[in-house]
Structure formats: C-alpha cells, structure tokens
Amino acid sequence: MRIDIVTIFPEMVRAPLETSIVARARAEGIVEIAVHDLRAWTEDRHRSVDDAPYGGGAGMVMRPEPLFRCVEQLRAEAGPRGRTVLLSPQGRLLNHDRVRELRNADRLILLCGRYEGFDERVRLYLADDEVSIGDYVLGGGELPALVVVEAIVRLLPGALGSVASLDEESHTDGLLEYPQYTRPQEFRGWSVPEVLLSGDHAAIARWRRAERLRRTAARRPDLLERANLAEEDRAVFE
C-alpha cells in the first residue's frame, strides 16, 4: 500500500512516521509513505497556498490551483490512482469500519487542510472522500492524517508482531476491550482477578467476554446497538 500526505507543514508529519509500528512497516516494505510540501506546487514568488474568501468573512481559504497540480502529478506517477481524501471536520466520522474500508485501497492521497478549509471546488472535483476524526476543530489536517495512517497500518498484514493482537481490541467487533492485568499479582492491596490466575482458558474467555459486554454497556451503550451479540451475551445482561 502507498500513502501520500500533502501538507504545508511536512516537518510536522515526518517525525511521527519514523517511530514505532509505522516505521517498522515502512522498513519492511509493508507500506510506502511519502510526505509532500504543497508549496512545491505554487507558482508565485511568495509560494501562496491561500487567499481571502469571496463574499467576505474571517480567515483565509486554501486555493485550488496548487492542490489540483499536486494531486494530478501524484496520480500521474507510477502506481495506482488511489483515493484522494480530505481531512476535514465536515467529513465522515472515522471509526473502525471506515479504517478497514480505507485499508482496502491500494493507495491513499491525504490532503491536510489549514486556515478556514478548502476551496469548495477541491471538495467537489478533486477529492474522492472526506474524513473527520471527531466532532471538534484542530488547527489543520496533519494530526488527523497521522491518526488515519496509524489506524490503517496496524491492520496491514505483517505490521503487528501478532495478528491475534487485533482480535479483541476495542471497536474491532463493536465492543470495548476487556480489562488487562500484568505483574505484580498484588499492588497496593489491589489484586488481579482470580479467574486470570486459574489456568482455566474457557473460564478466562467467558470472563473476558462478560467484561467486554459490561464495559461497553457502562461506557459506550451506543455501540451495543450495532454489536454482533450471541445468545449467551444476552444472558450476561440478564
């Protein structure tokens, strides 16, 4: 998979891509990630990427010309055309299903907005998709782009040391993850649940499933509406 990130602050994006899971995946050839400075596609001496909005109003708007030049050149390069995605608070909310959908693309071009956002013609005639990481506003799309990248890379085959790590993570099947414990067995009077020390794998599996259901019901009951619940799960609630 290839991911291109287009931004006016490339230095803000590059460092996080050189650590942890993403860095290992890049080194092993699982994913190719390129960061592009949008100002390289400007044509004036000030390297301008924004201008005042028509109709008046506060702030500046990102101009369409450099964005179109950039994306069209990236698409023309060797490799698949891919999907061009705007990072914007107006986009579809990112969740686990959306991450899996994006992971299935052979290539993504992520456009990081700034100022008051993109000229509408970028949204209408250049982008294939628009994604938001939450109902709040940030200074730009760089941090959302990094969130999207890490969420996707973790799902690529070979990126994690153990595929089983993905099986019961929060949101994988609509439920939150069960509580986790490690050594010491007792800490400041707080003990690890006995069932986890029992060696009874079936009992541990039942406990973990029940804890996932309880935790989801307490913290995110909205998730239960679309979770795939078995008959024995309903018995836990009863």
Side-chain angles (χ1 to χ4, degrees), residues 38 56-57 62 64 74 88 137 162 197 220:
L38 178 61
M62 295 192 73
L74 294 179
S88 160
V137 179
S162 171
L197 310 174
R220 290 292 305 277

Side-chain angles (χ1 to χ4, degrees), residues 61-97:
V61 177
M62 295 192 73
R63 298 174 58 169
E65 310 102 296
L67 286 160
F68 272 80
R69 289 192 202 103
C70 172
V71 172
E72 287 168 355
Q73 180 177 328
L74 294 179
R75 287 174 176 172
E77 291 175 356
R81 176 185 184 279
R83 295 174 64 181
T84 300
V85 181
L86 302 185
L87 283 311
S88 160
Q90 299 184 34
R92 298 189 299 162
L93 191 63
L94 189 71
N95 56 27
H96 194 70
D97 289 340

